[in-house]
């Protein structure tokens, strides 16, 4: 069998890096390495133009950021619009957390009332209350069917933005708020898109979701997409404890 | 005498007394009750003595303790040792400070002391010093800390910035934290701005090694350039566009010597018990204050050389053949500082990590992913505990550490027994609500078994 290799583009790693979101890349790298898959990580930095071919990537990742930082990078993100659209058409897997999720929609109106235009790749949009204390904060559990069966995704949400007009949500909220305060659904997804408010980081406590992303990325290459099981005893014990604690309330 | 003030003080003091009779610590409660009745209750207090306050994300308790020890050595009004009122135990919200002042004030709310040395939570600086006249404010650093409770770091800085716009007292600022140094511009008319820092040390790096906060110029938004990073985003920075950051410090800690635990200020040599880089920054802040108040350098030398905070801040626990250095870490920078000490230590060691997600900790534990475990020299085993014992175990595993060498033991007494199962060197890290229970569990273990060899 030939060596399996994936390329991940981490956009704005030093700007969109709130709440340990870069941990998602660390989890993907770890789970790839356990299967002998090399994960090469490339970066796109703000105001540092590069010629990276986004469509040559297998996964594009955007984390979450503070309002101030999201404003700063809006222009740079806009300059990447064509490349991101093309990558999406070429079935590159898009993983976006919080700020990344918001910025790929139509627009984001932040807690200062400032309207930041989004890329408009997806039709949802987000508005935050100008009361900075009005935020959805806490542990959250979302049930998704993206991975081919019902799977409970555990994370932490902390967002002022309320996202509406979401055509295909990532999952159903079992505990927490989701896209809007006391909402029923959370995030946005397609076969090769996950956009969500979940920090934690997202992939740390949801190994099957991480593996779904890896195998979809391999599948696009036409490579063998089967992933051998690895030692997930800690993750399983952690999930069992948190699901009991949060869902029995 | 204002009758309303009298009644407020009377009622407050009665609460403190009752709590004491019940054998309880006054803590936050009396202040909280008064605050509920009147949001401006702090104005009942008056005091003529200088107030020195310390704020910032990390190091408040240690710095305040050092300052308290320095000021105690001065002579007071009556020619005897100075009377200091201080909140050394870390009750640093307005309600905690109010409760403490109630215990010391007379029935008119007047506080008689030579100095008030206070540690103050970052977000409570404006509300507390709206009513109490501040003479010196020390700002240590701003790191991401309990984001779910405190909000974004920027919001916090803007709050203090707004307060400082009309402040004319002494302002002692960390010159190497771009988020702190910017506060020197809050009030351009204030001539009493003093910067401190630490000269480049051997552990400094060219690239950011640990998650940092101040990436952009607070004046013009340009990305800041760094000559070097001491730790996290603390280092010698400047803005290539507008020149922000060209600061001449009032004091600088120099000639750091790790072998002899020594360093110098203005040619004079000093020693300390621990040589963590963040600790040296705290000492530099303390030295700046000592200089402002003309405290004899021989006194400073004695306090620096002898004083230890303990209380879970680099505290040692020993059994017959094992020893643990336990350190509080409320945020990634705190944990990274302990890991730096662990990595400086060349031998083999074991690590105990206790992680809770109680409300006072912030219920979001994702900050542990901002801890840099990429260097983990000679760690032969890890024991994790606390309400989020599994989360920290997964974090360490995904950094590439062998999961079979991680033991998860949510119960603290069992975790203490587990970590002392073998002899040798241990390091302990515990977050905010975990630190006191961890200390208690370690002490219980040592009482029972500490005399025996593992």
């Amino acid at each position: 069998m030939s060596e399996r290799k994936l390329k991940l583009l981490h956009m704005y790693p030093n700007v969109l890096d709130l709440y340990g979101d870069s941990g998602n890349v660390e989890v993907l790298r770890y789970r790839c390495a356990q299967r002998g898959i090399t994960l090469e990580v490339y970066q796109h930095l703000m105001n540092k133009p590069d010629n990276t071919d986004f469509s040559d990537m297998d996964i594009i990742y955007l984390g979450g950021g503070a309002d101030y930082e999201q404003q700063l990078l809006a222009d740079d993100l806009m300059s990447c619009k064509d490349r991101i659209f093309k990558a999406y058409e070429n079935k590159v897997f898009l993983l976006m957390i919080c700020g990344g999720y918001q910025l790929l929609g139509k627009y984001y109106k932040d807690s200062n009332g400032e309207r930041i235009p989004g890329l408009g790749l997806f039709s949802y949009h987000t508005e935050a209350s100008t009361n900075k204390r009005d935020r959805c904060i806490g542990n959250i559990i979302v049930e998704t069917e993206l991975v081919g069966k019902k799977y409970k995704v555990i994370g932490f949400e902390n967002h002022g933005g309320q996202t509406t007009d979401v055509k295909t949500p990532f999952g159903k909220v079992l505990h927490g708020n989701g896209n809007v305060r006391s909402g029923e659904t959370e995030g946005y997804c397609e076969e090769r898109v996950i956009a969500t408010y979940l920090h934690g980081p997202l992939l740390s406590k949801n190994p099957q979701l991480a593996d779904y992303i890896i195998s979809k990325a391999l599948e696009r290459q036409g490579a063998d997409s089967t992933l051998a099981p690895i030692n997930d005893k800690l993750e399983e014990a952690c999930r069992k404890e948190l699901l009991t604690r949060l869902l029995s309330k | 005498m204002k009758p309303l003030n009298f009644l407020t003080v009377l009622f407050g003091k009665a609460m403190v007394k009752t709590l004491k009779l019940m054998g309880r610590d006054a803590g936050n409660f009396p202040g909280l009750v008064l605050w509920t009745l009147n949001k401006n209750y702090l104005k009942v207090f008056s005091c003529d003595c200088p107030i020195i306050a310390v704020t910032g994300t990390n190091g408040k308790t240690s710095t305040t303790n050092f300052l308290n020890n320095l000021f105690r050595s001065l002579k007071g009004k009556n020619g005897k040792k100075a009377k200091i009122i201080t909140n050394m135990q870390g009750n640093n919200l307005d309600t905690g400070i109010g409760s403490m002042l109630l215990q010391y004030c007379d029935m008119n709310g007047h506080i008689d002391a030579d100095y008030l040395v206070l540690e103050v939570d970052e977000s409570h600086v404006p509300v507390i010093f709206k009513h109490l006249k501040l003479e010196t404010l020390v700002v240590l650093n701003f790191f991401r800390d309990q984001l779910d409770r405190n909000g974004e770091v920027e919001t916090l800085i803007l709050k203090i910035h707004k307060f400082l716009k009309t402040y004319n007292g002494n302002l002692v600022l960390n010159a190497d934290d771009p988020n702190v140094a910017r506060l020197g511009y809050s009030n351009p008319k204030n001539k009493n701005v003093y910067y401190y820092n630490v000269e480049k040390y051997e552990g400094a790096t060219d690239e950011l090694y640990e998650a940092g906060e101040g990436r952009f110029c607070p004046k013009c938004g340009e990305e800041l350039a760094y000559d070097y990073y001491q730790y996290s985003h603390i280092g010698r920075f400047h803005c290539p566009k507008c020149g922000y950051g060209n600061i001449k410090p009032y004091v600088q800690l120099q000639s750091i010597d790790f072998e002899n635990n020594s360093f110098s200020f203005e040619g004079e040599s000093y020693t300390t018990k621990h040589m963590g880089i963040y600790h040296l920054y705290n000492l530099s802040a303390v030295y700046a204050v000592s200089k402002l108040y003309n405290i004899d350098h021989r006194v400073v030398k004695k306090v620096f050389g002898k004083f230890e905070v303990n209380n879970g801040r680099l505290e040692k626990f020993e059994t017959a053949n094992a020893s643990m250095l336990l350190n509080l870490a409320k945020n990634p920078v705190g944990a990274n500082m302990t890991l730096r000490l662990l990595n400086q230590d060349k031998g083999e060691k074991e690590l105990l990590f206790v992680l809770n997600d109680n409300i006072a900790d912030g219920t979001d534990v994702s900050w542990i992913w901002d801890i840099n475990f990429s260097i983990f020299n000679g760690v032969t085993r890890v024991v994790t505990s606390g309400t989020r014992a599994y989360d920290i175990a997964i974090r360490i595993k995904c950094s590439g550490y062998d999961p079979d060498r991680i033991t998860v033991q949510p119960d603290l007494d069992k975790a203490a027994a587990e970590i002392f199962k073998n002899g040798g060197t241990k390091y302990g890290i515990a977050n905010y609500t975990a630190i006191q229970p961890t200390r208690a569990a370690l002490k219980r273990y040592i009482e029972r078994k500490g005399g025996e060899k593992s």
Side-chain angles (χ1 to χ4, degrees):
Chain A
M1 196 171 68
S2 66
E3 197 210 341
R4 295 188 288 179
K5 193 170 91 179
L6 289 174
K7 291 179 181 175
L8 179 144
L9 179 69
H10 191 175
M11 294 190 75
Y12 313 113
N14 55 1
V15 183
L16 293 180
D17 180 26
L18 264 183
Y19 309 100
D21 282 344
S22 293
N24 286 321
V25 179
E26 207 169 333
V27 174
L28 287 173
R29 187 188 277 134
Y30 177 82
R31 300 190 72 80
C32 281
Q34 294 295 308
R35 276 75 171 241
I37 303 165
T38 312
L39 182 76
E40 287 180 355
V41 178
Y42 298 80
Q43 299 189 335
H44 173 80
L45 302 172
M46 184 172 86
N47 302 334
K48 300 251 161 60
D50 56 50
N51 299 317
T52 310
D53 180 0
F54 287 19
S55 299
D56 184 41
M57 295 291 146
D58 299 293
I59 303 166
I60 294 180
Y61 174 67
L62 283 111
D67 277 354
Y68 175 66
E69 290 157 349
Q70 263 170 241
Q71 253 179 54
L72 285 179
L73 63 76
D75 287 345
D76 191 276
L77 184 65
M78 213 39 104
S79 74
C80 299
K81 185 174 172 176
D82 294 345
R83 286 190 285 174
I84 293 176
F85 275 58
K86 210 176 130 218
Y88 168 72
E89 280 159 24
N90 282 304
K91 296 188 169 176
V92 175
F93 202 106
L94 302 181
L95 174 62
M96 297 156 295
I97 312 292
C98 198
Y101 169 25
Q102 295 167 343
L103 290 172
L104 266 74
K106 278 185 177 155
Y107 66 89
Y108 171 53
K109 203 166 132 199
D110 74 12
S111 59
N112 302 314
E114 200 93 29
R115 191 184 154 117
I116 306 171
L119 288 190
L121 181 56
F122 308 112
S123 63
Y124 55 80
H125 57 85
T126 307
E127 296 196 7
S129 159
T130 48
N131 177 359
K132 287 185 196 284
R133 286 180 178 272
D134 186 12
R135 296 178 70 85
C136 301
I137 302 177
N139 289 305
I140 176 167
I141 297 173
V142 175
E143 188 167 74
T144 186
E145 293 185 23
L146 182 66
V147 298
K149 56 171 184 162
K150 285 185 177 172
Y151 185 62
K152 293 187 178 72
V153 181
I154 307 171
F156 194 92
E157 61 178 332
N158 184 349
H159 54 102
Q162 307 281 300
T163 304
T164 47
D165 213 2
V166 184
K167 289 211 177 73
T168 47
F170 174 48
K172 197 171 87 189
V173 179
L174 301 185
H175 176 90
N177 289 291
N179 283 332
V180 296
R181 181 170 296 285
S182 309
E184 284 170 9
T185 59
E186 203 288 325
Y188 174 86
C189 76
E190 295 177 15
E191 189 188 358
R192 286 189 170 79
V193 176
I194 298 175
T196 171
Y197 277 115
L198 270 65
H199 302 286
L202 172 73
L203 301 179
S204 66
K205 281 182 280 288
N206 306 297
Q208 291 196 30
L209 196 62
D211 285 355
Y212 172 79
I213 296 170
I214 296 169
S215 75
K216 279 285 157 190
L218 289 167
E219 188 187 283
R220 170 179 169 263
Q221 288 184 350
D224 174 14
S225 64
T226 53
L227 298 175
I230 57 175
N231 177 355
D232 281 333
K233 281 186 210 149
L234 290 171
E235 285 83 349
E236 280 157 20
C238 186
R239 288 175 59 81
K240 199 174 153 206
E241 196 193 271
L242 284 172
L243 289 173
T244 310
R245 181 170 133 188
L246 298 171
L247 293 181
S248 63
K249 271 184 204 166
Chain B
M1 186 195 295
K2 293 180 189 159
L4 193 63
N5 285 4
F6 178 78
L7 285 174
T8 307
V9 172
L10 183 70
F11 178 53
K13 276 188 177 285
M15 278 191 287
V16 173
K17 196 103 194 175
T18 314
L19 284 169
K20 284 209 169 143
L21 284 173
M22 289 163 67
R24 302 266 294 275
D25 186 24
N28 280 306
F29 183 72
L32 186 62
V33 172
L34 294 187
W35 178 83
T36 310
L37 295 172
N38 179 357
K39 303 281 177 276
N40 282 320
Y41 80 99
L42 280 172
K43 74 171 183 234
V44 306
F45 298 112
S46 63
C47 116
D48 319 317
C49 73
I51 302 179
I52 296 107
V54 179
T55 195
T57 312
N58 286 351
K60 291 186 288 288
T61 302
S62 296
T63 306
T64 306
N65 275 266
F66 270 92
L67 286 173
N68 175 46
N69 269 273
L70 275 186
F71 280 95
R72 248 195 352 213
S73 66
L74 298 179
K75 276 208 171 67
K77 286 183 289 229
N78 55 10
K80 289 190 212 146
K81 249 186 164 182
K83 182 182 171 194
I84 315 288
I85 295 178
T86 181
N87 55 342
M88 282 195 305
Q89 300 305 324
N91 270 335
N92 62 18
L93 309 180
D94 60 335
T95 49
I97 288 170
S99 300
M100 184 193 70
L101 294 178
L102 274 173
Q103 300 174 50
Y104 290 103
C105 70
D106 65 17
M107 293 314 289
N108 295 317
H110 186 75
I111 296 145
D112 181 40
D114 292 298
Y115 298 95
L116 246 65
V117 181
L118 303 174
E119 80 159 86
V120 179
D121 183 85
E122 306 86 277
S123 59
H124 286 72
V125 169
V127 53
I128 292 167
F129 298 111
K130 193 168 132 193
H131 302 295
L132 296 170
K133 194 173 164 12
L134 184 59
E135 184 171 284
T136 299
L137 178 66
V138 180
V139 187
L140 299 171
N141 45 55
F142 291 113
F143 297 116
R144 48 180 72 186
D145 178 45
Q146 304 179 19
L147 292 163
D148 55 317
R149 287 183 65 224
N150 293 333
E152 290 163 359
V153 181
E154 183 66 16
T155 314
L156 214 57
I157 299 167
L158 290 177
K159 229 171 169 175
I160 299 182
H161 165 73
K162 198 175 152 202
F163 165 77
L164 290 175
K165 277 180 174 176
T166 54
Y167 172 75
N168 281 298
N170 296 324
L171 192 52
V172 177
L173 302 176
N174 184 345
D176 291 350
D177 183 339
N179 283 330
V180 172
R182 66 197 265 200
L183 296 174
Y185 299 90
S186 298
N187 178 5
K189 286 189 195 133
N190 188 356
K191 299 278 176 274
N192 306 306
V193 180
Y194 304 92
Y195 290 96
Y196 68 88
N197 70 359
V198 174
E199 76 172 4
K200 186 179 179 183
Y201 92 116
E202 64 182 38
T205 51
D206 293 338
E207 299 289 329
L208 186 69
Y209 174 70
E210 294 134 343
E213 216 55 50
R215 301 179 194 100
F216 302 99
C217 177
K219 294 185 94 179
C220 73
E222 180 74 11
E223 193 166 352
L224 293 171
Y226 274 78
D227 298 335
Y228 56 86
Y229 295 88
Q230 301 271 49
Y231 72 96
S232 187
H233 67 260
I234 307 295
R236 200 75 295 279
F237 66 88
H238 68 271
C239 173
K241 201 163 141 194
C242 75
Y244 167 67
N246 292 321
I247 293 162
K248 196 176 172 337
Y250 172 63
V251 301
Q252 183 179 54
L253 186 149
Q254 297 174 327
S255 16
I256 300 167
D257 178 347
F258 282 99
E259 268 174 31
N260 299 307
N261 276 17
S262 73
F263 52 87
S264 76
F265 283 109
E266 302 178 285
E268 203 64 54
S269 179
Y270 298 83
T271 57
T272 183
K273 295 275 184 190
H274 301 284
M275 289 294 282
I277 182 68
Y278 69 105
H279 176 61
L280 297 180
Y281 270 86
N282 293 343
L283 292 185
S284 188
V286 172
Y287 183 80
V289 176
S290 80
K291 192 175 167 183
L292 274 173
Y293 286 85
N294 295 313
I295 297 174
D296 191 325
H297 73 260
R298 281 169 299 192
V299 173
V300 179
K301 217 169 253 192
K302 210 170 116 194
V303 171
F304 279 5
K306 297 232 165 103
F307 182 64
E308 277 181 284
V309 180
N310 286 326
N311 197 20
R313 272 86 175 173
L314 294 172
E315 187 173 359
K316 245 191 174 149
F317 293 86
E318 284 177 324
T319 70
N321 63 342
S323 77
M324 177 185 290
L325 191 65
L326 176 70
N327 204 9
L328 166 75
K330 296 183 286 186
N331 44 45
V333 175
N336 283 329
M337 291 305 101
T338 307
L339 290 179
R340 280 195 182 223
L341 288 172
L342 175 152
N343 285 325
Q344 272 172 31
D345 179 343
K346 300 295 170 221
E348 287 192 343
K349 58 269 198 180
E350 300 182 334
L351 174 70
L352 170 70
F353 203 126
V354 188
L355 181 69
N356 278 352
D357 67 343
N358 296 315
I359 288 170
D361 298 304
T363 54
D364 182 6
V365 294
S366 45
W367 62 272
I368 58 175
W369 289 80
D370 286 339
I371 304 173
N372 190 338
F373 284 100
S374 66
I375 303 176
F376 211 35
N377 282 339
V379 180
T380 50
R381 203 163 67 104
V382 173
V383 176
T384 69
S385 187
T387 55
R388 288 294 195 128
Y390 285 105
D391 281 75
I392 185 63
I394 293 170
R395 165 67 195 110
I396 294 172
K397 169 194 144 171
C398 288
S399 72
Y401 192 76
D402 179 1
D404 292 334
R405 288 204 266 169
I406 304 175
T407 306
V408 180
Q409 188 45 267
D411 180 89
L412 262 174
D413 282 306
K414 287 181 185 159
E418 184 70 35
I419 192 77
F420 282 120
K421 200 167 78 180
N422 309 324
T425 309
K426 328 272 177 192
Y427 284 82
I429 297 176
N431 72 333
Y432 190 62
T433 68
I435 192 81
Q436 297 307 337
T438 302
R439 294 178 71 218
L442 292 171
K443 282 179 184 166
R444 276 195 297 273
Y445 177 83
I446 290 168
E447 241 164 60
R448 279 198 326 267
K449 304 259 190 167
E452 303 163 25
K453 286 196 171 179
S454 302

